[in-house]
Amino acid sequence: MNMHMGGRQVNRLLLNCDMGESFGNWRMGLDAEVMPYIDCANIACGYHAGDPGSMRSTVALALEHGVSIGAHPAYPDLVGFGRRSMACSVEEIRDLLHYQIGALDGICKVLGAKVSYIKPHGALYNDMMADPLKLRAVLEAVAAYGSDLPLMLMATADDSAAQALGDEIGVPLWFEAFADRAYTASGHLVSRRLPGAVHHDPARVVEQAVRLARGQALVADDGSALLLNAATLCVHGDNDSSVAAVRQIRQALDALEAR
């Protein structure tokens, strides 16, 4: 949603967060602490993390706080947390998406909720952003599942090719940005292997979130101006400091909208 305030456009940035990543006896994330501050919960569907119990409890928590529920499907890679690319065919990508979306959808159904969007996880997300054939496979799988489900994907300096593909296949696109990551001039994330790839200063993270909401340019790693047209902002709830950062971002964005 766009608002014009004092001659300046402010985007209603939806905060999205990866949730439900516990598995069996392994506990991951501070879901209960971060849920009150976000708009969209990307819930793991059992392939990279999550299990039926954690899916159910995360859906219930999202319902309690009025948070939209998104399926967060991945390659079948529990050991690598879905961060390793796999040589899946178009048919395999379609089937693994439908299997995982359907699993979360089933749990949503009995709790009176629904899956509202899809955000692929980890290596599957990266692969679809790098390979138009994989992006097409994901979009076609989402379209086949139905209900006009949006697909969440990365905002870059030029989203025209992805938007054209989404329009062709009939899937709404939600472009996302990151407040805590450095960007290249093309609008891609600076590799975590490079220094300065992740912003650790809370003030800088909040400032980047506010710039994105105002539609202002970020400074890319080469010093150039980078304009991203984002509808949603990815935040993290892994530890106490990340939850504090989400709270600060929420407060800053709420203050921006209240002006």
Side-chain angles (χ1 to χ4, degrees):
M1 182 173 69
N2 294 334
M3 293 169 286
H4 292 272
M5 299 184 181
R8 180 186 73 242
Q9 179 173 294
V10 176
N11 294 317
R12 172 70 170 94
L13 275 182
L14 301 173
L15 299 187
N16 80 81
C17 186
D18 297 351
M19 318 278 287
E21 293 177 335
S22 297
F23 181 80
N25 286 331
W26 300 98
R27 288 289 166 261
M28 288 276 286
L30 298 173
D31 290 1
E33 287 81 356
V34 79
M35 194 71 84
Y37 303 110
I38 65 169
D39 302 290
C40 303
N42 318 318
I43 300 180
C45 302
Y47 266 29
H48 75 282
D51 57 27
S54 67
M55 290 162 73
R56 177 184 286 267
S57 61
T58 310
V59 167
L61 189 64
L63 272 175
E64 182 184 334
H65 290 279
V67 171
S68 294
I69 293 162
H72 200 37
Y75 287 129
D77 179 27
L78 271 177
V79 172
F81 198 67
R83 290 179 174 159
R84 302 180 294 187
S85 188
M86 300 180 75
C88 291
S89 68
V90 166
E91 292 77 18
E92 287 171 321
I93 289 173
R94 175 199 65 200
D95 293 344
L96 67 84
L97 283 167
H98 289 166
Y99 185 88
Q100 292 175 82
I101 297 167
L104 184 62
D105 206 20
I107 287 172
C108 283
K109 183 178 179 182
V110 299
L111 291 179
K114 65 175 183 177
V115 172
S116 296
Y117 65 93
I118 312 298
K119 179 185 173 181
H121 165 84
L124 179 57
Y125 182 98
N126 293 335
D127 287 354
M128 102 184 162
M129 292 306 303
D131 183 349
L133 291 177
K134 284 193 169 66
L135 179 57
R136 177 179 284 276
V138 169
L139 285 165
E140 288 180 344
V142 171
Y145 197 88
S147 304
D148 297 322
L149 288 172
L151 177 73
M152 202 177 280
L153 71 171
M154 190 183 298
T156 64
D158 182 4
D159 300 321
S160 57
Q163 188 63 63
L165 205 53
D167 291 345
E168 176 197 333
I169 296 167
V171 174
L173 302 182
W174 288 358
F175 289 102
E176 75 165 341
F178 298 79
D180 63 344
R181 294 295 299 273
Y183 279 91
T184 67
S186 62
H188 293 86
L189 299 179
V190 172
S191 169
R192 286 180 180 270
R193 292 189 292 271
L194 298 175
V198 180
H199 303 325
H200 297 290
D201 177 9
R204 187 173 183 185
V205 172
V206 171
E207 183 205 4
Q208 186 154 309
V210 168
R211 291 189 73 83
L212 288 162
R214 284 178 170 164
Q216 296 173 333
L218 306 182
V219 179
D221 62 344
D222 67 353
S224 64
L226 170 66
L227 202 57
L228 297 175
N229 185 21
T232 181
L233 192 70
C234 184
V235 295
H236 309 287
D238 305 312
N239 54 61
D240 288 335
S241 62
S242 61
V243 173
V246 174
R247 188 168 61 245
Q248 290 173 31
I249 290 170
R250 174 88 280 161
Q251 290 167 348
L253 295 186
D254 286 351
L256 195 66
E257 291 168 22
R259 288 178 188 171

